[in-house]
Amino acid sequence: MATLTVKELLKRAAAADEITVKGWIRTRRDSKTFSFAELNDGSTRENLQIIFEAKHGDFTAALPKLVTGVSVAVTGDLLAAPAGARQKYELHAKNIEIYGDCDPDKYPIQKKKTSDEFLRTVAHLRPRTNKYASMLRVRSELAFAVHKYFRDNGFFYVHTPIITGSDCEGAGQMFIATSLDLGKHAALPRTEKGEIDFSKDLFGKKTYLTVSGQLEGETLALALGKIYTFGPTFRAENSNTYRHCAEFWMIEPEMAFYGLEDDMDLAEDFVKSITRHVLENCGTDLELFAKFVDTDLLSTLKNVAENKYERIAYTDAVKLLEAANDRFEAKVSWGADLASEHERFLVENYFKKPTILYNKPKDVAAFYMKLNDDGRTVRGMDLLVPRIGELIGGAERENRLDVLEKKMADFKIDPQAYWWYLDLRRFGSAPHAGFGLGFERMMMLVTGISNIRDVTAYPRVPGCAEF
Ligand code: 4AD
Ligand code: MG
């Protein structure tokens, strides 16, 4: 007797006797001579139809208990389903064991209560719905696609610290990570000025949860050549939007001897490749999203996977946007940081395909981006995609020590805290570039799900750290 997942079992070349499946009942219906139940075990979107017939066993006690959500093991014979059935096999039960009951009056996952907002309040149970199970399976496959892409292209996977002493983005959006008990106010060590004395903290200094592994990634790229990180990052920004989380996963490749052009080529190739991977490997789950979530999903994904991306310098994009200023809430002029409405206009209305915006003004860009010869723009780039706007932010890095030091002074960044980062420009400095792709935003793109809270199992957003 073999125990098989539904996915394995539906792939079988031939019917088989004495097969066991284990999973959760989705529905049951009874006729005079048979009962039918649909079982789902999470291995695939598809349910297995199970047929209970009195001539194969006594199910009178078990059947009434088979309500939505009950977990069971069923053993029986796997037979070809009749012509016209949804699947090629069905299981004719001989024996059933119930592991866990599920009170239908209390179980929150019911057909009538399935708004996304409601399901967020029961995030521990929503993976039992079709949509969230599909989301999690696609998420797993997409993560695999990321690793496969970089491994196939000669990159090394590195792990950068989660607790860090430096603010990569210089945006001051960091969560403090401390061993001091901030709740015990009176007992906290104090400096002479009365401030909390972080020199008494576990690390002997003030530390944070990382906003990006880039700076450490640069040090590793300037030793190994091509590296990438794929890990959690944290931002304490209080923005309640459809595309911001306080905790999200970021993929950050960093490449020695790459310039901005190479960086843009890699970003485009990477996004196309992982999109194709999902199209080729997540068929049944994508069908669900295309049917119930975003009817344009497959054409959007083809657009992302196949089109040559538009590339436009910031200064030229601003000219286009200025001409359309009457439709924007925030008016655009040279020097402004673009908002999602502007990004989406370029991608969705103007170019109608993914767009890479490069050469931003230095004042709205991070300190590490390489200064252009014009003295006012930097070699940074953002990759913008439909429905989301910014999916990737990246840059060629400033590799000249004197220029970087001046930049840091302009940004009021303490060079002492970045001594090791500056060392990279002292010892064998080389041109290099990289980017960061927000994994949840990529998930929004490939599933069509429109809120970032619904592409991760347990979203961390302002006001929500339940579970
Ligand atoms: O543009 P960002 O801030 O760039 C960096 O962090 C660089 N250090 C990356 C690099 O060059 N290695 O963030 C990169 C991407 C964004 O384009 C976006 O997709 C995602 O990370 N992102 C967020 N995703 C969800 N919630 C947030 N709060 C995000 N902030 C950024
Ligand atoms: Mg950015």
Side-chain angles (χ1 to χ4, degrees):
M1 183 187 73
T3 299
L4 294 181
T5 65
V6 174
K7 184 174 182 181
E8 290 165 341
L9 170 161
L10 292 176
K11 272 204 236 145
R12 279 187 60 92
D17 290 345
E18 295 290 311
I19 296 283
T20 298
V21 290
K22 299 178 179 181
W24 293 267
I25 298 294
R26 283 291 173 82
T27 57
R28 186 195 91 233
R29 68 198 160 83
D30 305 311
S31 76
K32 271 208 190 100
T33 39
F34 302 99
S35 286
F36 301 92
E38 300 265 330
L39 175 138
N40 189 284
D41 68 355
S43 62
T44 165
R45 189 185 145 206
E46 292 174 272
N47 297 333
L48 179 67
Q49 165 128 296
I50 302 174
I51 296 165
F52 298 92
E53 211 180 338
K55 69 178 183 200
H56 293 308
D58 180 8
F59 305 112
T60 43
L63 275 172
K65 293 187 182 167
L66 297 188
V67 293
T68 306
V70 169
S71 61
V72 295
V74 185
T75 303
D77 296 338
L78 191 67
L79 301 178
R86 245 186 309 129
Q87 276 151 8
K88 66 178 192 179
Y89 296 121
E90 54 193 24
L91 189 71
H92 291 251
K94 289 176 166 168
N95 189 45
I96 179 161
E97 181 184 348
I98 294 180
Y99 289 124
D101 292 326
C102 189
D103 183 346
D105 294 330
K106 295 187 179 145
Y107 187 46
I109 306 298
Q110 303 288 352
K111 276 219 163 79
K112 48 190 182 321
K113 286 205 239 167
T114 50
S115 77
D116 292 325
E117 290 75 15
F118 170 73
L119 289 172
R120 281 174 214 148
T121 68
V122 287
H124 59 307
L125 296 172
R126 69 179 178 171
R128 307 245 195 115
T129 67
N130 288 332
K131 177 174 161 183
Y132 290 91
S134 284
M135 180 279 284
L136 289 163
R137 282 189 294 269
V138 170
R139 194 173 160 113
S140 170
E141 196 60 40
L142 184 63
F144 174 77
V146 167
H147 289 300
K148 180 168 181 347
Y149 178 85
F150 287 120
R151 187 169 190 271
D152 289 351
N153 286 285
F155 284 68
F156 297 104
Y157 178 34
V158 299
H159 301 94
T160 49
I162 290 171
I163 299 177
T164 172
S166 56
D167 179 0
C168 171
E169 292 306 297
Q173 296 171 329
M174 306 188 80
F175 286 101
I176 297 170
T178 179
S179 63
L180 299 175
D181 186 347
L182 300 180
K184 295 202 176 117
H185 207 249
L188 284 172
R190 299 279 169 181
T191 62
E192 277 173 14
K193 284 192 195 153
E195 291 167 345
I196 297 173
D197 184 1
F198 283 98
S199 73
K200 301 285 183 334
D201 207 333
L202 183 80
F203 299 110
K205 63 187 276 194
K206 196 168 177 185
T207 50
Y208 309 87
L209 297 181
T210 187
V211 295
S212 160
Q214 177 197 321
L215 303 189
E216 293 89 349
E218 284 184 49
T219 67
L220 302 168
L222 290 196
L224 296 175
K226 295 197 287 188
I227 61 93
Y228 72 105
T229 70
F230 186 175
T233 48
F234 307 87
R235 300 208 181 168
E237 55 188 331
N238 195 0
S239 41
N240 240 314
T241 80
Y242 69 98
R243 59 176 201 171
H244 287 91
C245 268
E247 175 181 307
F248 61 99
W249 285 65
M250 192 160 33
I251 294 134
E252 296 186 273
E254 190 72 33
M255 297 73 63
F257 315 113
Y258 269 48
L260 178 62
E261 201 78 15
D262 311 310
D263 202 34
M264 294 196 279
D265 290 346
L266 182 76
E268 177 169 346
D269 191 53
F270 173 54
V271 170
K272 283 180 166 158
S273 167
I274 59 179
T275 304
R276 267 198 311 273
H277 183 99
V278 169
L279 278 166
E280 285 161 11
N281 292 279
C282 300
T284 49
D285 292 314
L286 287 190
E287 274 167 27
L288 176 144
F289 296 120
K291 198 163 167 201
F292 299 112
V293 176
D294 174 5
T295 48
D296 295 330
L297 181 65
L298 296 179
S299 60
T300 303
L301 294 188
K302 276 188 81 172
N303 179 344
V304 171
E306 290 167 13
N307 264 323
K308 174 102 193 80
Y309 296 0
E310 191 65 40
R311 294 186 189 182
I312 183 168
Y314 171 90
T315 302
D316 296 327
V318 164
K319 284 181 199 143
L320 292 179
L321 292 167
E322 273 175 333
N325 252 341
D326 48 348
R327 58 193 291 162
F328 301 133
E329 230 170 83
K331 308 297 170 203
V332 178
S333 60
W334 201 94
D337 202 2
L338 301 187
S340 74
E341 56 174 336
H342 312 124
E343 295 171 349
R344 292 183 61 175
F345 172 80
L346 290 173
V347 176
E348 292 168 17
N349 303 86
Y350 199 85
F351 294 120
K352 300 191 192 319
K353 55 180 174 168
T355 300
I356 303 179
L357 193 73
Y358 61 95
N359 284 354
K360 285 192 186 189
K362 71 174 182 347
D363 297 334
V364 293
F367 74 93
Y368 50 70
M369 296 189 183
K370 183 162 185 167
L371 192 63
N372 276 316
D373 294 342
D374 64 11
R376 37 179 229 152
T377 61
V378 290
R379 286 185 207 169
M381 60 104 176
D382 284 341
L383 169 59
L384 316 176
V385 294
R387 296 195 302 98
I388 293 152
E390 181 187 335
L391 173 67
I392 282 180
E396 183 176 339
R397 317 306 184 188
E398 185 53 76
N399 61 325
R400 298 161 295 187
L401 181 62
D402 55 335
V403 184
L404 185 59
E405 282 176 331
K406 162 122 198 351
K407 223 22 184 338
M408 289 173 75
D410 292 346
F411 277 73
K412 302 200 169 24
I413 293 172
D414 175 14
Q416 299 282 308
Y418 291 80
W419 63 274
W420 51 274
Y421 188 69
L422 292 165
D423 261 4
L424 278 191
R425 281 77 184 163
R426 291 190 183 104
F427 307 121
S429 187
H432 61 289
F435 62 80
L437 173 141
F439 189 63
E440 281 70 19
R441 292 196 183 172
M442 189 67 205
M443 275 295 294
M444 292 171 70
L445 179 68
V446 297
T447 59
I449 291 176
S450 56
N451 194 309
I452 200 163
R453 291 161 178 78
D454 300 329
V455 293
T456 180
Y458 295 111
R460 295 290 173 249
V461 292
C464 178
E466 190 64 51
F467 309 104

